[in-house]
Amino acid sequence: MFWRFGFHPASNVDALLEKEGVTLEELFEEDELLQECKSHNSKLIEFLCRPEILLQLLNTIIIENPDEAKKFKYPYLASEIFGCEIYAISDAVITQPDLLETFWTLLDAPAPIHPLQASYFSKVNGILMQKKAGDMVEFVKSQSKSIQNILTHVGNSSIAELLLKIISLEEIPEGQGIVPWLSQQGLIPALVERLDPNLDIETHNTAAQTLLDIIAVSYQNVGPMEQEDGAPANVGGGNSLVDELKSEAMMRKIFGFMLDKTAPNATSSLSSGVIIMIELIRRYCSEIEQAEFQQHQFQTQMMQSARNEFGILPTSEKMKSLAVDLNDLLKVIGEKVGEFSQLLEQPRNMNLADTTLGRITPLGSERLRTCELFAEILHLQYLFFSSPLFERLVFGDPPEDEDSMMESKTSDGNAQGAVLENLSVGVEGMRLKKVRNVGDELSLISELLVQSKVLPMCLVLFFQFPWNNFLHSVVYDMIAKVFNTYSFTSQSSNFAPVGPDGNELIPPAGEDGILSPLETKMKDVSGVFKRLVLSILVEGKLTAKITDAQRRNDFEVEQPKGVRLGYMGHLTYISDEVSKLVEKCLDDFGPEVKELIESDDWQEYLGGVLRETKDRDRQALGGVRPTHTGQAATSFGKIDETDMPPLGAAPPPKKELGGGLHHSTPPVSNDSDEEDDELGKGVDAAIADGGDALGDQYARYFCQNMVSDLPDRGILGDDSDDEEEGLGEAIEEELLMDETGFDDESKGESMSINSSEIDSISSKLSDIGRTTADANSSPLQKQTALGDESVDSGVATPAEASSGTSSVQ
């Protein structure tokens, strides 16, 4: 506290600054330099803000010192000085653009630059962006080659992090406009060009990771879909950089690199490209789920709230954006389905590889990534066609905006009826407007998957590589999504037309049995997925492959040192999906499917191996679960009813211990170890003899716990085990006294003893402990040894305790 009043001693840094001609290197040699910076030493800050000193600080970071002793220490100290986030230093750097221009010359050097230099460079620029965001944005824009230089060194993680920090400036008012400027500088095309299959694999990985980071940062900066003052905060997900990446031109270029048949590193380009496509699809799915949650909140609050306060309904602009957001990506994928199917059948890299199973042709990253891409598309199909927003995504909203709907609702007492009336007006006209959307592109891709027999090829790979669990998970996901999507779309109750508030707008069928546009659309979608199901069951012969695989697994297990095949777990999941589909939709299929399902092999598999496997999986691990009552449970968490007493039965009798104290007999478990068995036998014998031994054991156990927890056990000394035993016996006696039913006043009188009596009792307890060495003696016998002394100390004798009277009285 003394330094607040000027009593702190002068530091070595202050003494050094008072000298004339002090240099920055002299300060670097002081151990207290950083501490003085953090304490905002005014003299030191004034010295560091000098232009020549700031230039030396920045040059220390970007120019490598030949002296090994200073090579790492000085750049670290220079960056930590900026890391103290002193506003005066940051302001001094920003107000002198020449210093920043000199500092950014580090990026003019050819790649690669030293990792430590790049790290310190990124750290200092990040601090300057926090303190002076607007000025840093203007500086970056003023540098003609700043983005090109950053892309030259984007393989360095620190420089890539700096690029993401620049993109993140868009979310603050001072940094708005930086993302459009980056788009004008050709950031996305330059990164896409680095996926060229003629370049090396490291360049592909760096470009793909940078694009993934840009996607993550762009969607992270979007924020929640909310409205303020009637204006939507964000209409579409991402920003202009992501929109440019999803454009048709960029998609065609990326897929051209991925499917190049002659380039040496086309496989690496394909892997990097698939990762980017999957990330874009998942971000789109996240946008739909967020809009679904927003609409669900609106519907819930509208039905439950008595006031005119509701959540924010996803806007029509948001729905229109989501309806066409991935059109270009899905369109290009649809055009390339045939080429991808050829890769599944004949990959470009078919070289043999040495594995633990011998020299075999591996699955390869091309086929695995292709399966992952199609699995992600099928997942998107399930999410899109089963979404509560499907009607709004496909047909759009009525012409009325949300404000007019809310005004009509508030002016009418029947709120829901007013909303239904507004939504019903012109809804048919909106639905008849044909605008190609994501659903149309997904339906087209599904048709192409059927024509190219992609799913049967994936099934062949599933059984061809029994130890590739990555592939097994992907193929199982594909089958599950196809079956679940068809199961949903084939039931008319799942797509009754509803408005934004969740209420049904029009009857499921129009006049004279004419289907509504929504029903017509869902019927077409159901037909497409029915063909996908037939492609799996009929063309892929899924049920026959499952039974054959089970026989092969049984044969492998029977061999010496045989083990189960690697796909058996996923095979059980796939069989469950087939069973659920057949249970719901068997009547929708023709005789060819029924013949497969009713075959003897499949029925035998369902009733035999599959049933046994599912029953085994339902069993609790470790067998029977014990209960707190000591009774064994016949199933997980359940008690055997046969072991329970009948309803209304009398409680178990209480055993009366010698002095009139009543204790209920604790239950004894038969599933204990040998020690517990011996203890149980002793307890049973004790109960048969009258229960004294049981009470003795319980009292000893209770007293030992109390003695071990006493904070002042050392007051009476720890020199003798006998003294400790005597103290426990005294506590035992008092416990028995507490259970005789004395009132609080009499207890207080009996326990009020002075210090001299404590010393007397302590010495007597020691003598008693030596004379009662027999461990089998009961507490009541020990109380008898006290005799008249218990009267002198205010403690009742056992006889008095049993009669309910006290000697104090």
Side-chain angles (χ1 to χ4, degrees):
M1 297 294 290
F2 294 106
W3 53 87
R4 295 187 179 181
F5 306 99
F7 294 107
H8 63 283
S11 65
N12 296 333
V13 174
D14 288 334
L16 188 61
L17 291 174
E18 291 177 358
K19 293 171 50 179
E20 293 185 1
V22 61
T23 62
L24 184 62
E25 290 191 0
E26 291 178 335
L27 284 175
F28 281 157
E29 296 298 330
E30 289 294 334
D31 296 336
E32 301 177 357
L33 174 62
L34 294 180
Q35 184 61 36
E36 291 297 319
C37 286
K38 293 177 182 179
S39 61
H40 292 264
N41 188 314
S42 57
K43 292 183 180 180
L44 179 59
I45 294 175
E46 182 180 356
F47 174 81
L48 294 175
C49 288
R50 297 177 186 176
E52 64 276 11
I53 300 301
L54 286 176
L55 181 60
Q56 292 181 37
L57 279 174
L58 297 177
N59 285 336
T60 301
I61 295 175
I62 64 175
I63 299 177
E64 187 173 350
N65 197 317
D67 190 350
E68 289 294 332
K70 306 175 182 178
K71 182 177 181 179
F72 300 104
K73 179 180 178 181
Y74 285 7
Y76 166 76
L77 292 174
S79 65
E80 287 299 316
I81 289 174
F82 286 99
C84 295
E85 300 185 7
I86 301 173
Y87 181 83
I89 296 178
S90 300
D91 185 67
V93 174
I94 292 295
T95 54
Q96 302 177 57
D98 295 342
L99 295 177
L100 277 179
E101 291 179 1
T102 303
F103 190 48
W104 276 62
T105 56
L106 175 67
L107 300 180
D108 294 335
I113 57 178
H114 197 281
L116 281 179
Q117 289 180 324
S119 175
Y120 298 148
F121 177 83
S122 176
K123 179 179 180 179
V124 172
N125 280 285
I127 294 170
L128 295 177
M129 289 176 187
Q130 291 179 3
K131 297 297 182 181
K132 295 285 185 177
D135 296 326
M136 283 299 296
V137 168
E138 293 300 326
F139 170 78
V140 173
K141 290 182 178 180
S142 65
Q143 303 298 307
S144 58
K145 296 184 178 181
S146 57
I147 300 303
Q148 297 179 8
N149 291 338
I150 288 177
L151 291 177
T152 301
H153 303 283
V154 76
N156 190 300
S157 59
S158 299
I159 303 302
E161 182 181 357
L162 176 61
L163 176 61
L164 299 180
K165 290 179 181 178
I166 295 174
I167 298 174
S168 300
L169 293 175
E170 182 71 20
E171 64 181 336
I172 60 177
E174 296 85 355
Q176 290 183 357
I178 189 65
V179 168
W181 179 80
L182 290 172
S183 181
Q184 295 174 3
Q185 297 296 311
L187 175 62
I188 296 299
L191 289 172
V192 170
E193 287 292 341
R194 294 172 180 268
L195 296 175
D196 190 330
N198 294 302
L199 300 177
D200 60 279
I201 298 177
E202 185 63 30
T203 303
H204 297 163
N205 295 336
T206 300
Q209 187 60 48
T210 305
L211 288 171
L212 292 176
D213 292 339
I214 290 175
I215 294 171
V217 171
S218 300
Y219 277 93
Q220 182 180 0
N221 295 339
V222 168
M225 297 182 300
E226 296 181 355
Q227 286 177 296
E228 294 183 1
D229 300 330
N234 291 287
V235 174
N239 52 30
S240 57
L241 293 176
V242 178
D243 293 339
E244 185 178 6
L245 178 61
K246 292 185 292 188
S247 65
E248 185 175 353
M250 292 294 102
M251 289 294 105
R252 291 190 181 279
K253 180 170 289 188
I254 293 175
F255 278 96
F257 291 155
M258 293 165 59
L259 297 173
D260 194 319
K261 297 181 180 180
T262 59
N265 294 321
T267 300
S268 174
S269 296
L270 185 141
S271 298
S272 300
V274 168
I275 294 173
I276 295 171
M277 302 304 153
I278 290 176
E279 182 66 18
L280 289 173
I281 293 174
R282 288 178 178 175
R283 293 291 177 175
Y284 177 78
C285 293
S286 177
E287 289 287 308
I288 291 182
E289 291 172 347
Q290 187 178 5
E292 290 176 357
F293 177 73
Q294 195 173 357
Q295 176 157 312
H296 174 72
Q297 281 188 321
F298 175 82
Q299 295 171 0
T300 303
Q301 295 175 8
M302 188 174 183
M303 291 185 293
Q304 297 178 355
S305 178
R307 299 174 296 177
N308 300 327
E309 298 179 0
F310 308 109
I312 303 299
L313 187 68
T315 62
S316 298
E317 291 79 6
K318 181 66 180 179
M319 292 295 100
K320 292 177 182 178
S321 174
L322 288 176
V324 298
D325 193 31
L326 287 184
N327 274 14
D328 294 335
L329 186 151
L330 296 176
K331 179 182 178 181
V332 178
I333 290 178
E335 296 174 357
K336 305 294 183 181
V337 168
E339 298 183 47
F340 278 113
S341 65
Q342 293 179 5
L343 282 180
L344 289 177
E345 191 172 4
Q346 296 179 349
R348 289 169 293 195
N349 186 5
M350 293 289 291
N351 297 330
L352 297 177
D354 293 326
T355 67
T356 55
L357 303 176
R359 189 170 180 81
I360 62 174
T361 301
L363 174 68
S365 59
E366 287 185 349
R367 293 193 282 192
L368 179 61
R369 293 299 184 187
T370 301
C371 292
E372 289 177 351
L373 177 61
F374 287 135
E376 201 64 36
I377 292 174
L378 292 173
H379 177 78
L380 173 59
Q381 288 178 338
Y382 174 73
L383 178 66
F384 188 89
F385 291 120
S386 63
S387 172
L389 302 172
F390 176 76
E391 187 179 9
R392 298 184 66 191
L393 291 170
V394 175
F395 300 108
D397 289 331
E400 291 81 7
D401 55 15
E402 288 78 5
D403 294 335
S404 63
M405 291 167 55
M406 290 298 102
E407 292 175 2
S408 175
K409 179 187 73 60
T410 54
S411 62
D412 188 0
N414 187 359
Q416 297 185 8
V419 173
L420 290 175
E421 181 181 356
N422 283 292
L423 290 174
S424 299
V425 175
V427 68
E428 293 296 333
M430 287 296 297
R431 289 169 174 169
L432 294 177
K433 293 182 180 179
K434 184 62 177 177
V435 178
R436 194 158 186 84
N437 52 52
V438 171
D440 298 326
E441 299 295 344
L442 290 173
S443 298
L444 177 59
I445 292 177
S446 299
E447 292 283 3
L448 295 172
L449 291 176
V450 174
Q451 296 176 10
S452 302
K453 300 182 179 181
V454 170
L455 294 179
M457 291 181 188
C458 293
L459 284 177
V460 171
L461 295 176
F462 180 95
F463 294 99
Q464 183 179 349
F465 296 94
W467 300 106
N468 195 319
N469 288 149
F470 295 105
L471 175 66
H472 302 158
S473 299
V474 172
V475 175
Y476 161 70
D477 188 56
M478 296 168 70
I479 296 174
K481 290 300 181 291
V482 170
F483 287 176
N484 292 334
T485 305
Y486 175 73
S487 178
F488 180 87
T489 57
S490 62
Q491 301 179 24
S492 59
S493 60
N494 290 329
F495 50 87
V498 294
D501 59 348
N503 292 291
E504 186 175 333
L505 293 178
I506 58 178
E511 297 180 0
D512 301 329
I514 300 175
L515 296 178
S516 66
L518 175 61
E519 287 182 309
T520 303
K521 180 65 178 178
M522 294 302 292
K523 186 177 180 180
D524 296 339
V525 172
S526 179
V528 172
F529 277 91
K530 182 177 181 180
R531 289 188 284 275
L532 278 174
V533 173
L534 292 175
S535 177
I536 295 173
L537 294 178
V538 180
E539 297 181 11
K541 301 178 180 180
L542 177 59
T543 56
K545 283 185 170 62
I546 291 176
T547 54
D548 292 341
Q550 182 62 48
R551 295 191 189 96
R552 180 183 174 186
N553 175 75
D554 295 341
F555 175 78
E556 293 292 338
V557 171
E558 292 174 357
Q559 302 303 312
K561 298 183 179 179
V563 294
R564 281 165 50 93
L565 296 177
Y567 50 56
M568 294 308 297
H570 290 92
L571 215 59
T572 301
Y573 292 150
I574 294 175
S575 301
D576 282 339
E577 295 296 333
V578 175
S579 300
K580 289 188 292 185
L581 177 70
V582 169
E583 182 180 354
K584 294 181 180 179
C585 310
L586 180 59
D587 296 336
D588 298 345
F589 302 102
E592 52 188 1
V593 175
K594 293 183 180 180
E595 182 180 353
L596 294 173
I597 297 301
E598 296 174 358
S599 64
D600 295 338
D601 287 348
W602 180 250
Q603 292 299 322
E604 181 182 355
Y605 171 77
L606 291 180
V609 177
L610 183 60
R611 180 182 295 276
E612 293 174 1
T613 301
K614 294 174 67 175
D615 291 342
R616 183 178 63 250
D617 292 343
R618 291 193 187 100
Q619 294 179 1
L621 294 177
V624 178
R625 177 181 178 181
T627 64
H628 66 282
T629 60
Q631 296 172 329
T634 57
S635 61
F636 190 75
K638 296 182 180 180
I639 301 175
D640 189 358
E641 296 181 357
T642 60
D643 295 336
M644 296 179 62
L647 186 63
K654 296 181 179 180
K655 297 293 182 179
E656 182 175 347
L657 304 183
L661 303 178
H662 297 278
H663 297 275
S664 60
T665 305
V668 180
S669 173
N670 295 328
D671 296 331
S672 57
D673 53 16
E674 295 181 4
E675 281 189 30
D676 293 336
D677 290 338
E678 294 297 329
L679 178 62
K681 295 177 182 178
V683 171
D684 294 337
I687 294 175
D689 294 339
D692 291 340
L694 177 62
D696 184 22
Q697 290 178 354
Y698 179 80
R700 284 183 177 278
Y701 168 77
F702 194 83
C703 292
Q704 288 174 0
N705 286 342
M706 292 190 61
V707 171
S708 62
D709 292 335
L710 285 176
D712 55 347
R713 63 181 298 184
I715 294 178
L716 300 179
D718 293 330
D719 297 333
S720 173
D721 294 336
D722 296 335
E723 293 180 6
E724 182 175 345
E725 183 180 358
L727 179 60
E729 294 168 352
I731 297 175
E732 235 178 68
E733 296 168 5
E734 292 188 7
L735 285 173
L736 294 175
M737 292 292 299
D738 287 341
E739 296 191 17
T740 57
F742 292 155
D743 57 9
D744 294 336
E745 183 176 358
S746 61
K747 286 183 181 180
E749 293 176 357
S750 61
M751 295 302 174
S752 59
I753 54 180
N754 53 32
S755 59
S756 61
E757 291 174 335
I758 291 177
D759 296 335
S760 175
I761 291 174
S762 175
S763 59
K764 293 177 181 179
L765 286 177
S766 301
D767 297 335
I768 293 172
R770 294 187 182 94
T771 58
T772 58
D774 187 5
N776 295 324
S777 59
S778 66
L780 298 178
Q781 293 172 342
K782 296 175 184 178
Q783 285 182 342
T784 306
L786 288 173
D788 297 336
E789 286 82 354
S790 60
V791 178
D792 298 335
S793 60
V795 181
T797 63
E800 293 170 339
S802 61
S803 61
T805 59
S806 175
S807 60
V808 177
Q809 298 174 350

